[in-house]
Each structure stands twice: as structure tokens, then as C-alpha cells.
Amino acid sequence: MLPRSNSKMQDSQIYVAIDLETTGLNSSTDEIIDIGAVKFNENGTIDTYSSLIKPNQLISKFITQLTKISNHDVLNAPKIEDVKDEFIDFLENFPIIGHNVSFDVGFLESNGIPITQPLIDTYQLAACILPKDTYSLANLARVFNIDSWDMHRALPDAETTKTLFTKLTEHAMELDPDLILQLKKFSRNSQSPLEMIFEKISLDQSKKNIYGTLGSLGYNRQYLEKRAKSIKSNNQNFTNIINNLLVSEVFSSAGTLSKIIDNFEYRNEQEEIAYSIWECLNENKNLLLEGGTGIGKTLSYLIPSTLFSIENNSTIVISTNTINLQEQLLQKDIPSMKKVIVESTGIPSESISIINLKGRNNYLCLDKWETQQSFSAISYNQARVFGKINTWLNTTITGDKSEINIERRDGEIWDSLSSENCYECLKRSSFCFLKSLRKKSEESQIVITNHSLLLRDMVQGGGLLPEYKYLIVDEAHHLENEATSQFSNLFSSDKIESLLNAINSERGLINIKSFVKLPSVKSRKYLQELSGTAEKLDQLVSKIRLENQNLFKKTANLFHGNINNNSYDNNNHLLFSEINNESWPSIVKTWKSLAVFLIELMNLVLEYKKSFSALEKLSTNGTKSMVQSSFTDIENSIELVQQIGLHFFIEDNKNTIYWVNQKQDELPTYNSAPLNVGEILRNKLEEKNSVILTSATLAVRENFSAIEKQVGLNDSDKLIIPSPFNYAESVLMCLPTDMPSPTEKNYTKKLSETISEITKSLKGHTLVLFTSHKSLRDSWKYLTEYLEGSTIQIIAQGINGSPNRIMNSFMDNNESVILGASSFWEGVDFPKESLKAIIVARLPFEPPNDPIFRARSQLFDNPFLEYALPNAVLRFRQGFGRLIRRATDKGAFITLDNRISTKRYGRYFIQALPEIERKYASTNQIPSIIADWLHKNE
Ligand code: SF4
């Protein structure tokens, strides 16, 4: 939003709250259909304005559903030109208040209604003072109990905005005056008219003799420390109270768990897993454990591991695949586990200490924060995020961003403030969230983390996880992929360009002298030195730019005549071993000359820094820390480019896959990944007393050798505990007899026809699993045609939004078919009775051109049977696992890839599933077979 001029606030200030309804979101092509406005002051409403507007275009069904304004309603309404002048008169020159006000103002201005008065956005105001909430008008109305009638009509929404503004200012009055002054500063530094609102609040507070207690930063680092320390773990010695019998007792049919869990069903599978885990931890053994769906696996590892940790006073690290799963553990399973332990041992709940650790970029770095919040000019978006963080700093004890609402568009602002890349900082002395977490983690019995942090910590160190000897990895089948992405590298022309921009751009290093106010005479000598070095830097940056272009132009030439197009993602990949030997020396030569320039660049930057430090001593303003951090960032970036260049052009690590990647219409990039993750992890895992890897899909044909190799875990016990569900009665598998092969031309059409017929017969309730986004999109095109006119909603990953959004739409309306790619093969849980069929479009083999897959395949004598097939079978089982999540679920599993019947290897897929009923039939019979079966069995 473009902030409008600030003006001083009058006592008894009049404002106008406005809202518009429009035919769409684009102010250049869409039109206004409803205007509402409320003129008010602190005594209440003075006047209102409301008018429907007749647009020059038709109002869509969607907008009519949303606003309840139909084409009929506006038939006799005035045109915008007819009401323009009276609305301008109504607005007078009072500050305008709106929720996302720039949207409304954009429409008013494009209709010739000039807006010059200050604009106050209740969205921005709410985001500054309510760090945890979501900021839609509807949600904020709920938060403040505002009786909002007829949402999405202009006048009621303007009324709601008016009330919201009043409530927000009342809420702000309750905040510490020092915080209000800080919020005022952010508004002023971003030229936002909210400055006058915070100024008014500040004045009102001083009139009421309310004084600040937080100090000039609007929060107090010492208070933070005190708060963090107040949450103490109460570890006492409880050894010799827990024994083998206790573990069995907890899980027995009348044991503690049965009293804690609602609708508890005794499962000997659960008891067996719990006892095996207890035994492995006690006997310092490793365990590979496959536990099927529905056993209650999470509690069966949480309870014995916590008991073990208490008994032995040792930390146990539990890693799961994602931050969401970490949160799920904390919110759902850990409270039950605690209750069980308190009940069965008498140990007080506060003596069970558990900490949740995430990657560093989840935590605020107070040093970066204190530097950035002191900038005298910030953007409107920064003002919103800074305000939110400053308010939150008065309540948080963790500094974990999940406690506040950092919106997607503000991700970059958060990244610049996060603790990522603060590796040396743990040695510093003042309070820091990371240091505090690290300390707490050392005192905790259970540390919950995710694979990415676990692996980074294991291999690169970094100081967030404590010393530990016992490790449990859930969703362990992800470990290899996560390690691959953690230990991957990428080198691009953009990386060099952004380094050069940090030196030579409007806000780059070369123009840094404008950051300091200098007394003229004394500084002349140093200024001359600085300008001399700046000139040299400028020339060198130009040379490096040319060499950078040269390097990547030569790299792009590698693909001439060597196209290895991957039909799965339209990428070309070239393994280094496939690069023509004649081209490579010239590329390496170009890198070497670039590397020489980079050494020169580092020297010049250091020279520049020296001259600048001399000047800085004469500086009259406090920009020191900001400039220092610019220098540090640039020095680090130069080192990083040097290291990564060495990695790609000089080193030749036998355990690394190197390749060049070229996306259509983009410059190529250099990439690398570990060839054998097991080689990297083996030593690290051997240092542990006991490592337990578990998942619902870990073994292939009851054999764990693939996972053992992948992660380098030797000498482990193995256990497979199948799911207790009765799949024979709950699943019907359908295999078509007339599907063309996936390589045949008419395959996608036939696939889409069959999907369409199945979803029609089941009225949606269907998930289709694809192995590539391209085939998903192709099928989506056909389906939109085949399902036109039906009530079935098609929701496609990548077309209708993120997997989360798709799941939400499906939950709102089960009469849907989801077209899902990788994210839907596992990890998604459908609510009871919402899913009736899963269709596998293709057997989930890895894309054969994927460079990592190609390179790893070469490690096997028979890459297809030993590598490609086992991986595909595991994936297939994961897809199948989405269908039955509880004992009462029923559904059909249809594989529309005819290779499952026509190829010899097809039987491996079928045998990998539990015993289920199978039907072979033609594609036009399958829909009715499924419908009949469900009818009989539901
Ligand atoms: S110690 Fe490191 S992470 Fe903590 S505030 Fe300082 S720089 Fe940031």
C-alpha cells in the first residue's frame, strides 16, 4: 500500500470507515458493485453512505454467492459516475479507515475518485498488536466479539471495520507505553499513517498517567531471560522404580493406557512393540521396526523411551519427518504419554521434561533483530512484521516463529531476522533464544526434533541438539531423502550476481558512505580513500560479472547435441561423467580465473572496510552495527562462492553425485548430492548406544537390507508387526483388463475416462495418485471436460493450491476427486468415511532420468530389481496406506497401470499388500463393481 500523508490527530477526530464489493480483485479490469461508508468519531456514528452500483460487466456466480448481490439487484442501480461526486463529498478530507484499505482505494482511484487523505489499515494495525491471530475481517470480528451482520456487503463490512478500529485502539491502550512508542517509530520509519494512531494512544496513555516499564526498545532482554528461566525442568532422580513388568502392565488389556485413552482397544501388537523398544534401549541394541497402521505405534515408542530416560537419566532424541508431525506429537501423543507415566509411576508431570527443537530459522535472532529494528527507513511490510515481533517479545519464552502469524509474503523479512547461519553466536554472552533452548535441551529427558535438524546436527554440528546416546527415528523411510537434500549443493549464476549486487547496487557496499553522517573537514582524507577503493571495486565487479556470464554460457553449451530431456519435469540433466571431455577444461579454466578475481574481491572489500572503519569513528549517527553486518555478510558470501566453486570444479569426491541441470529458458545450475547416504551416517549412528528406526513401510518383502544400506545402520534387531486391520474385509482391489500401457498414446485419455466414471459412481470421495505433475495436468484437462455439468469438484495439486488447501476443500466437500502428486502418496489422513477409493495412475517408479536415481542405480548389479523396483513397491504400499486409517474404513484400491498385470514384476506390487479381495475386470465394469461392493460392505 502507498502510505498517504500523515497529519496531526485532532481531539475528537472524525474518520470514515469504507468498504467496497467488486466484480473481482483486479482494479483495472473489475468494477465496483457496492459502496459502504461510516463517518464516525469517538462518540459514535455521525453518518453513513451506501449505494449499489451497476457495473458494465456481468456479476459472476461466484461473486453473487459471496456477496449475495446479483445482476438483478443492480439492474436499476446508478453507475459509478452518477454517485462519484456525492461519495467524494461524503468522504470530505477525513482519514480513511479500511481493512486492507489499499484494495478499496485502488478501485476508487481507478474510477476517478482521488484519495489524498491518510489511509489507516485495520489489517496492518491488527498485525502489529495481535501477533498470533489471523487477520481476516471475519476472524478479527470473532476475536473481539463484534456482532458482524451480513458479511461481504459493503455497509455492514464498513460498520464492522469501524468497530474493529475502536476495539483495536482500546486493546492498544492496554499495551505498555514503551511498546506503543516503538510501534509509532516503526510506523514513522515506514511513513505509515498509523504513526498518528500510535501517537494518539501514547498521548492518551500519558494523560492517564500510564508509564512504560519496558525501556526504549519496547521489550526488555533481561525480562526475556527471566521468563525463559522461570520454566525450569524439575529433574529428580527416579531410578529403580521402573522395570520390565511396568512396561507390560501399561499396555495390557486392563493396564494404565486403557484407563487414559478413550475407547481403548487392547492390541498385543502395541504391547509387543513397546516391550521390544524397552528391551533394545536397555540392552543397547539397534532396532528396525515396521509397524502397520492402527497399532498405536507412537505411544508404543513414547512411553517406554520416556520411562527408560527417567530410569537411566539419559536424553533420548525422537525425530520425525516434519515440523507438523512434531507439533502433532506434542499436542496429541505427549499429553497421553505423560498421563500414563504419572498414573503408573507416581512421578510428577513436571518431572517429565520434553523439549521441541526445530531448525535454526524457526527462532528469532535477537542480535539481528536489534540491528534491523534500529534502521531509520523501513518498508511498510517490515513495519508490520517488526511491530508484531516487538509485541510478541513481551510474551514469548522460546522465540519460535510458530507462536506468531508470519504470513507467506513476509517470509523473507523473517528469514533476515532468524537465527539461521549464526553458528558462532552460541559463544556470546547475552540472552539468546538458541542458547536458552540448547541449555534446556541438555536438561530434557526427551528431545523432539525433525529429520532435517537431526541430520544437519549429526553431520555438520551446530550446537542445538544436546549430547545423546539414544535415538528413535519415526517415519524413518524418509531419512535417505532428507539426508540427500540436506547434503546437496547448488551453484548458480544468480548466487554470484546477488553477491555482486550486495557490493554494487543502490544500497550496496559501494554506496555505504551515505549511511553515515560525517563532519566535513576531518573526514575528507578518509572519504578520498574510500572513493578510490569504491572505484576499484566497481571495475572488479564488472569484470566478475562478465566472467560469470562466460562461465554459465559455456555451461549451457554443454547441452548442445546432448539433450537428455526428462519428460517428467522438462529438465535436462547431465551427470559430470556424461560431459564431453573437450568442453570441461575450458569451463574449469574460466572458473579458475573467476576464483582469482574473488581473491582480489575479498582483499578490496577488506581494504574498503578498513577505510570505512576510520570514517565510522567520526560518524555522528548510530549506524555502526548495520554496516558491520553488511561487511560480514559480504565476506561470508565471497567465501561461500569460493568454497562451492572448489566443490564443483576442483574437488572430485567419490561419494558425491555431480550434475548440471538446465530448466527450459533458464541458465543452467551446478548440483551435487551424496551418492551413498549410508557412508555419511554410518559412523555417526555407530556412536549411539541404541538407534531405533521405525515406519509403517520400512521392509521390502519382509527384508530390511535396503534401509540398512541406505542409512548405514548395522547389527540391528528386526521386527515386523502387521496392521491389526482386517483388510480382507475392508478393501477391494480392482485391476483393469483393458488399460493401454502408460507409454501408449491413448493412455491418458483412457485413464481420465475411467477416473471420471469411477468418481461419478462414488459421487467423488476419490483420490488419484500421480507420479508426475505433467501427467496430473494432462489428466486434469480431460477430466474438466468429462465432469462438466456434474456436481463433482476436481481439486488438483499445483492447480487448485497447496496440498493443505486441497485437503481443506476436500473436507468441506467430499463430493470431490483429488488429483495428487508426491505429497498425497503418504502423510495425509482422510477423515472417517470421506475417502472411498484410491486410484493409482501409474506404478510409482522414480523418473528414470533423475540424476540421483541414475547415479545410485549404478551401485547395483541389477539396478531394476535391486533398486528401482523395491523403491517403487514401498511407495505403492504408502499410497495404499492412505485408504484404511481406522478399523471401520472401507474402500476400493484401483491400479490403472496395466504393468501390474502384464509384467512379471507386477506380482511384487500385489504381494506387497495385505491379503485383500482382488477383481480383474474391464474399465467400464469397474465403477459398478466398486459401487456394489461398497453398498454391500458399508
Ligand atoms: S547468540 Fe547468535 S542466534 Fe543468539 S542472538 Fe546472538 S547472534 Fe543471534
Side-chain angles (χ1 to χ4, degrees), residues 172-184:
M173 272 297 286
E174 306 291 316
L175 300 175
D176 189 287
D178 289 339
L179 172 61
I180 295 295
L181 286 177
Q182 188 72 348
L183 300 179
K184 182 182 144 195

Side-chain angles (χ1 to χ4, degrees), residues 221 365-367 419 422 425-426 428 432 434:
R221 213 154 159 160
C365 164
L366 284 170
D367 274 14
S419 301
C422 288
C425 58
L426 290 173
R428 295 194 193 175
C432 147
L434 277 195

Side-chain angles (χ1 to χ4, degrees), residues 798-816:
I799 295 171
N800 302 104
S802 64
N804 257 346
R805 203 158 158 188
I806 286 173
M807 278 304 281
N808 288 341
S809 312
F810 187 81
M811 289 196 217
D812 284 349
N813 175 12
N814 293 168
E815 217 173 298
S816 306

